[in-house]
Amino acid sequence: MTMLSTSMKRGSIAVLGLILAIVAFLATNVLVDRKATGLRADLTQEKLFTLSPGTRNLLGKIDEPVTLRLYVSDRLMREIPSYGVYAARVREMLEEYRAAANGKLRLQVIDPQPFSDEEDRAVALGLQGVPVNQSGEQVYFGIAGSNSADKDGVIPFLQPERERFLEYDLTKLVFDLVTTKKKTIGLLSTLPLTGQFMGPRVPPTPWAIYDQLTQFFDIQRLELDTASIPENISVLMLVHPRDLPQGTLYAIDQFVLRGGRALVFVDPHAEGEMGRPGPAAQTGQTASTIPQLLKSWGLELVEGKIAGDRQAARRVNAGEAQRVRSVDYLAWLTLRDAALTKSDVLLADAQSLNLASAGILKPIANSGLQVTPLLQTSTQSQELDAEPLKMAPDPVALLTNFKPSGERFILAARVRGAATTAFPDGAPKPEKKEGEDAANKPVPPPLPAHLAASKEAINVIVVADTDMLEDRFWAQVQEFFGQRMIVPVANNGDFVINALDHLAGSDDLISLRSRGQSARPFTVVQEIQRKAELAFRAKERGLTEKLRETEAKLKELQTKEQGEGAARALVTANQQQAIDLFRAEMVDTRRQLRDVQFDLRRDIQSLETRIRTINIGLIPVLIGVFAIALGWWRLHRRRRIVSVATHS
């Protein structure tokens, strides 16, 4: 009786302990969900769900509330699983943004049902709808943001292909919402980007690239002899800096060392200069090199050389008007795919860029600066002399004499790191212009204190081509009822706008890098698919061809049989037997084809079955075995303790 009572007590204690454990588990989950929402553990290999320090700094600086509305159609997530996975990734990332913004960021998730008020609002905000059927129903997957000053921002459609730039896109959206003024771009150019003077009664026509710049930025034109770059300039855009005074070069040098960003276009041969009136067309001096500044930025522009690329060469007419002769011109390049550094946000969406007579940039060894190529040639490249290409280039001769170097030439690069000044002796003395009266010359304002080295890491993008900015190389400009329309044929304009937009952003935004992707490929499954296709595709092609031939023969016999009209009754037994044979052969071929197509999936299905068995069955069994072993060990230990106590 005593033993039974003791057993019942132990059972009651065990049940009570189990109940208390369940209650404690539920209470802990509720407490963590409500009080410890900021506690998260990111176990992914590339820390996909951990915000970068730059993003956290930016979110921590938000003064006025910002609202982000995630429009995602439930139908899109249900019917296309890959978008469902990516939508969950985006939502989790936005939750991280909200948690890090200290209550200054509000998040709304909206499912815009077809023909609803939410859909009308999404369309009005600029989101892009994608049709899913013939009835006109559309699905949405984008973000619309707004601030307290009614400034709006939008990501029209979230493409899974841009997942590695998801944090950058989201942070830039927030940055644009909290920044109320346009950034000011300082334009210093010896090329007529604002239009060529054609006479007092003919207004100059700006280049297409300048039209686009004015849509996104406030453009402040700088004089060629400027002594200092104004402090309100966010980014300096330096285009074809030919024959600039030393004082202007010094101003550029000090601007960069003080933390100013610069987008620089140099060129060993600016082709556009040869077609415009001016000294360059007469003397052939069309180069802009600024070696003094480039050296301080860890770069060298190879003097008098142009990058030729057999793989990227554009086709031109090397014949006459009456006789077209199409040939690849090695000096005119269309860069695609591997020539574009897709891992950089500037070129993530670019399809092609057109360059003409582009120069070659080379990093200077041991400069201490980080040079990252943005645009490169293929290994089918060669250094071409610039001089023969200035007057009458011969594309056929270039091809005949082409010898690939096997080297990839850098055509554009980003430079970061600690830099030193190109003017170690300080500011150069002012240059006296011819005929200038020094007595009546106004006293210039004092220059800022000379910097011998950069205060922080410089951020400069150098492009070894200026012709890429000319309309004829990247855009078709048309007049439509008095309106000037720009139709891009390459992504040159996008590249320039992206570069300026990126450089004009905050240090937090610029510090962001591309991330990995949450959707990881099943490499084992892909390898099984590849081996299966190698083994079965040849057989599948043979069976498909046999089926096609059999159907053709059967159709021929049936057509002949039907065309005989009244003589159909005279069809011989052999003909009928042939028809029946072909029909049976067609059925058998179809069966074999189905078997082959099933074999393509058999190994994958087998792997799927094994994985499901392991996940569903094996893991619980292992846990059960561990629990039994643990219980046995505890029981054995308790008996041993009792035995020792009894004997003592």
Side-chain angles (χ1 to χ4, degrees):
M1 187 71 178
T2 304
M3 292 181 59
L4 182 60
S5 176
T6 303
S7 300
M8 291 179 63
K9 282 184 178 181
R10 289 180 178 175
S12 301
I13 292 173
V15 172
L16 181 60
L18 180 61
I19 294 174
L20 291 176
I22 294 174
V23 171
F25 175 77
L26 295 176
T28 302
N29 274 274
V30 172
L31 183 63
V32 170
D33 182 62
R34 293 188 177 183
K35 301 296 183 181
T37 55
L39 296 178
R40 292 170 170 84
D42 187 353
L43 303 180
T44 58
Q45 181 179 358
E46 299 183 22
K47 301 298 179 183
L48 300 178
F49 301 95
T50 301
L51 300 184
S52 300
T55 296
R56 291 191 175 276
N57 290 338
L58 182 64
L59 294 173
K61 298 174 185 176
I62 299 178
D63 295 326
E64 297 294 330
V66 171
T67 301
L68 297 182
R69 299 175 181 87
L70 173 62
Y71 286 86
V72 54
S73 299
D74 182 66
R75 181 171 184 177
L76 175 67
M77 294 190 294
R78 284 188 286 105
E79 296 191 2
I80 308 180
S82 60
Y83 276 93
V85 173
Y86 188 45
R89 161 101 163 96
V90 172
R91 184 166 181 174
E92 289 169 352
M93 180 66 80
L94 289 173
E95 292 288 355
E96 292 289 331
Y97 274 63
R98 181 169 64 175
N102 301 320
K104 294 294 185 178
L105 190 148
R106 295 190 290 264
L107 175 63
Q108 299 176 7
V109 181
I110 301 169
D111 176 16
Q113 295 293 329
F115 313 110
S116 65
D117 292 339
E118 288 82 3
E119 183 182 28
D120 294 340
R121 195 173 298 112
V123 173
L125 289 171
L127 269 73
Q128 178 183 346
V130 178
V132 292
N133 54 33
Q134 299 290 338
S135 65
E137 291 186 13
Q138 294 187 321
V139 293
Y140 298 85
F141 184 26
I143 300 176
S146 61
N147 61 12
S148 56
D150 294 330
K151 182 180 179 181
D152 297 324
V154 65
I155 300 177
F157 200 89
L158 290 159
Q159 294 283 359
E161 292 79 9
R162 277 190 66 88
E163 182 178 1
R164 63 185 185 276
F165 299 111
L166 175 61
E167 183 179 6
Y168 179 85
D169 291 340
L170 295 179
T171 303
K172 185 178 182 303
L173 176 62
V174 175
F175 175 76
D176 291 341
L177 291 173
V178 300
T179 305
T180 56
K181 286 183 60 179
K182 279 186 177 181
K183 294 293 184 178
T184 301
I185 305 299
L187 178 60
L188 201 160
S189 173
T190 63
L191 296 181
L193 270 66
T194 57
Q196 185 79 27
F197 178 75
M198 304 298 291
R201 296 187 178 182
V202 182
T205 302
W207 291 13
I209 189 65
Y210 186 82
D211 274 347
Q212 291 207 344
L213 290 177
T214 56
Q215 296 177 23
F216 295 93
F217 309 101
D218 288 331
I219 306 300
Q220 182 174 336
R221 295 174 60 189
L222 303 176
E223 298 296 332
L224 298 181
D225 60 351
T226 184
S228 63
I229 310 298
E231 293 183 358
N232 67 313
I233 299 296
S234 298
V235 181
L236 174 65
M237 182 172 173
L238 184 62
V239 181
H240 199 44
R242 182 167 53 86
D243 299 331
L244 293 182
Q246 285 292 301
T248 303
L249 296 177
Y250 176 76
I252 297 170
D253 171 81
Q254 293 294 295
F255 172 77
V256 171
L257 293 181
R258 290 198 306 269
R261 291 73 180 265
L263 175 61
V264 180
F265 293 87
V266 292
D267 205 329
H269 170 44
E271 293 190 15
E273 290 280 77
M274 299 298 293
R276 284 188 290 268
Q282 300 172 4
T283 63
Q285 300 300 317
T286 58
S288 54
T289 58
I290 56 170
Q292 193 175 2
L293 290 181
L294 290 181
K295 182 179 179 181
S296 69
W297 298 337
L299 283 174
E300 173 193 1
L301 180 66
V302 180
E303 185 177 356
K305 296 296 183 179
I306 288 172
D309 190 344
R310 184 68 180 85
Q311 183 172 315
R314 294 176 60 188
R315 296 192 72 80
V316 299
N317 178 22
E320 301 175 353
Q322 295 80 11
R323 183 187 176 193
V324 177
R325 187 182 184 187
S326 182
V327 65
D328 290 339
Y329 184 30
L330 298 179
W332 284 11
L333 309 180
T334 296
L335 304 179
R336 298 187 177 92
D337 302 328
L340 312 176
T341 305
K342 291 285 191 174
S343 59
D344 196 291
V345 68
L346 306 185
L347 297 162
D349 297 324
Q351 301 300 317
S352 66
L353 270 76
N354 290 338
L355 281 72
S357 299
I360 301 170
L361 295 170
K362 289 191 175 181
I364 296 176
N366 302 320
S367 67
L369 292 162
Q370 178 187 358
V371 177
T372 305
L374 296 176
L375 307 176
Q376 298 182 88
T377 64
S378 70
T379 54
Q380 294 291 311
S381 60
Q382 180 185 15
E383 290 187 1
L384 307 175
D385 290 329
E387 283 300 322
L389 303 180
K390 291 183 178 180
M391 297 300 178
D394 187 350
V396 177
L398 290 177
L399 278 177
T400 303
N401 300 322
F402 175 74
K403 294 180 180 179
S405 65
E407 182 181 355
R408 299 188 70 187
F409 298 141
I410 300 176
L411 309 177
R414 183 199 297 275
V415 180
R416 286 195 178 99
T420 57
T421 180
F423 296 85
D425 297 330
K429 294 181 180 180
E431 300 176 14
K432 184 179 179 180
K433 298 179 181 178
E434 186 177 351
E436 184 179 55
D437 186 0
N440 298 324
K441 182 180 178 181
V443 178
L447 297 176
H450 173 74
L451 291 179
S454 58
K455 293 182 177 180
E456 54 193 32
I458 68 169
N459 199 332
V460 176
I461 295 175
V462 181
V463 183
D465 184 38
T466 60
D467 295 301
M468 69 174 297
L469 304 176
E470 300 244 11
D471 295 359
R472 63 191 177 113
F473 287 109
W474 73 276
Q476 295 177 353
V477 182
Q478 305 170 354
E479 292 289 336
F480 185 74
F481 292 100
Q483 297 292 325
R484 191 162 177 255
M485 296 183 60
I486 300 173
V487 181
V489 296
N491 297 113
N492 297 26
D494 298 329
F495 171 72
V496 175
I497 297 298
N498 287 345
L500 291 172
D501 193 32
H502 182 68
L503 292 172
S506 69
D507 292 330
D508 297 327
L509 186 60
I510 291 176
S511 68
L512 299 187
R513 301 287 189 272
S514 63
R515 309 291 287 272
Q517 294 180 307
S518 60
R520 308 299 294 272
F522 291 96
T523 54
V524 175
V525 173
Q526 290 176 350
E527 182 64 18
I528 292 174
Q529 285 179 319
R530 188 185 67 81
K531 291 181 179 179
E533 288 183 357
L534 288 176
F536 297 113
R537 285 304 181 197
K539 185 177 181 181
E540 183 186 32
R541 284 195 298 270
L543 289 172
T544 302
E545 185 63 28
K546 181 180 178 182
L547 179 61
R548 190 180 297 112
E549 292 175 359
T550 303
E551 289 176 339
K553 291 178 181 179
L554 180 60
K555 184 177 181 181
E556 181 183 353
L557 283 175
Q558 289 176 334
T559 302
K560 181 178 179 181
E561 178 186 354
Q562 294 172 357
E564 292 176 350
R568 288 180 60 188
L570 301 179
V571 176
T572 65
N574 290 336
Q575 288 176 325
Q576 187 61 49
Q577 185 178 2
I579 291 174
D580 294 339
L581 180 64
F582 281 135
R583 283 174 176 167
E585 186 177 356
M586 183 176 65
V587 171
D588 183 64
T589 303
R590 288 182 181 276
R591 180 188 59 77
Q592 293 182 49
L593 189 58
R594 283 196 304 270
D595 291 342
V596 169
Q597 291 171 343
F598 172 76
D599 287 339
L600 284 172
R601 292 286 307 168
R602 182 177 56 191
D603 290 340
I604 297 176
Q605 290 173 344
S606 175
L607 176 63
E608 181 182 359
T609 301
R610 291 198 302 271
I611 292 174
R612 285 185 175 181
T613 301
I614 292 172
N615 286 335
I616 297 174
L618 182 59
I619 298 301
V621 169
L622 291 176
I623 293 174
V625 170
F626 174 76
I628 293 172
L630 180 62
W632 178 85
W633 176 80
R634 292 181 64 183
L635 180 61
H636 179 72
R637 181 170 175 270
R638 187 180 304 154
R639 286 178 177 175
R640 188 172 58 185
I641 293 173
V642 171
S643 176
V644 171
T646 302
H647 286 84
S648 61

